[in-house]
Every structure is written in structure tokens, then in C-alpha cells.
Amino acid sequence: PGGWLLMRIIRILAFSFFIFFALINICDADAPQIKLYQEALIYFDNGLYAKSLALIDEAVKLNPYFKDCYNLKGLIYAKTDQPDSAEFNFKYSLELDKFYTKSMYDLSAFYAERDLFDSALAMINDAIAVDSANVQFRALAMECLLHLKSYDLFVKHYEFVDKINPAYSVNKFL
């Protein structure tokens, strides 16, 4: 009867060590996957999506739990008009870290660009639940709310942004 408990403890310890070393690998600024990711960002910012994607794929081979890579893959696929692959990678990034607000924002913006404002609003609301003071999240929520003609909620976000950051320009909504 005690054998199953010992096996369970061993499995939990093995999994914990695996996660621990994966996290160390992610956080090491000199790790090869970090350098590949940073280089891929430069190519992405310059519109060289194929080269960026190739570097991201190399980084993922080194660390398949690198959520930033999957988010960048989502952005690349969105820019290259591959919406199914874009959505898949944004969502996979969120599977790796359900509180990763960058992927929440990027997926929400992806939905908004495709006029899927209900989905965009649901996702950005998740991001706001994690970081309620993020003005960029609120601005995207306000954009969605305008398209959905939900003016009362728009005003609540507008007043909140005006209260926490009066210098932020939300005049584009007026």
C-alpha cells in the first residue's frame, strides 16, 4: 500500500526539479534561447518574419516552455496572414502561463483587428483582472466597448484611466 505513495512523491519531486531547471534556463540572460529570442525580435521589428520565425523555432527547441517565443510566433503568424496559427500560438503561450498579460493583450488585439470584439473584450478583461492599472489594456477595452456600443462600460474605463493617469490621451475615443 505504501508503494504508490512513494511513487507519487518521486513523480512530484521529479516534476518539481524539471520545472525548477526549466525556470532557471528561462531566466538565464546568457542562455542561448534568450539570445535567439532577442535576435528574432530584431528581425520581427524589421519585417523579416521568416528569419524571425526560424530563430524562434531554434529557441523553442532549446526550451519548449519559453512562453515569449510562442507569443512572438503568434505575432509573426498574425503579420503573415496565418490567423489560425497566430491564435494557436497566443493561446499556447497562455497555456504555459495563464497570467502572461503580454499574450492576453496581443491575442485581444489580434481579435479586435479581425472585428471579433466580444472575444477581444473577454481576453483584455482577463488582462485587466491581472493588472488593473495598465492604461494600454484599458484603452483596448475602450476600443472594443465602442464597437460593441457598450457606452456605460466605456465611460467607466475612461474615468478610471483619467483618474490614474490624467496625462494619458484618450481623446482618440472622443
Side-chain angles (χ1 to χ4, degrees):
W4 69 269
L5 180 60
L6 180 60
M7 287 304 296
R8 185 174 175 130
I9 291 171
I10 290 171
R11 285 184 186 149
I12 290 170
L13 288 174
F15 181 74
S16 298
F17 283 120
F18 174 77
I19 294 297
F20 175 74
F21 287 113
L23 287 174
I24 288 173
N25 202 16
I26 290 172
C27 298
D28 181 4
D30 293 327
Q33 70 271 14
I34 300 290
K35 291 182 181 199
L36 288 167
Y37 171 75
Q38 291 169 338
E39 190 176 345
L41 273 175
I42 293 168
Y43 283 109
F44 175 80
D45 289 340
N46 288 292
L48 300 169
Y49 304 124
K51 180 65 176 169
S52 181
L53 185 59
L55 291 168
I56 285 300
D57 286 339
E58 285 182 51
V60 167
K61 285 178 187 173
L62 295 172
N63 186 343
Y65 302 101
F66 194 177
K67 65 186 177 197
D68 301 84
C69 287
Y70 293 100
N71 189 72
L72 183 54
K73 282 179 85 167
L75 292 171
I76 292 166
Y77 287 128
K79 289 283 188 183
T80 58
D81 199 30
Q82 299 176 61
D84 293 339
S85 294
E87 183 178 26
F88 173 83
N89 280 281
F90 288 134
K91 287 182 174 180
Y92 191 72
S93 177
L94 288 168
E95 282 182 33
L96 294 173
D97 181 354
K98 67 180 180 179
F99 299 110
Y100 186 39
T101 56
K102 175 147 181 44
S103 284
M104 290 177 190
Y105 177 83
D106 289 339
L107 180 56
S108 182
F110 169 79
Y111 286 147
E113 288 170 7
R114 282 153 183 73
D115 295 335
L116 302 169
F117 295 108
D118 286 324
S119 298
L121 184 60
M123 183 55 56
I124 204 62
N125 281 338
D126 288 347
I128 290 170
V130 175
D131 183 1
S132 65
N134 187 304
V135 176
Q136 187 179 21
F137 297 169
R138 298 275 178 166
L140 184 52
M142 287 188 289
E143 180 182 336
C144 293
L145 290 165
L146 281 179
H147 285 283
L148 296 170
K149 297 180 173 40
S150 185
Y151 303 118
D152 290 341
L153 286 174
F154 171 87
V155 169
K156 287 181 182 180
H157 283 284
Y158 179 88
E159 289 171 345
F160 184 85
V161 169
D162 191 46
K163 181 179 175 182
I164 65 168
N165 191 349
Y168 185 80
S169 174
V170 290
N171 290 333
K172 67 180 181 178
F173 297 110
L174 301 178

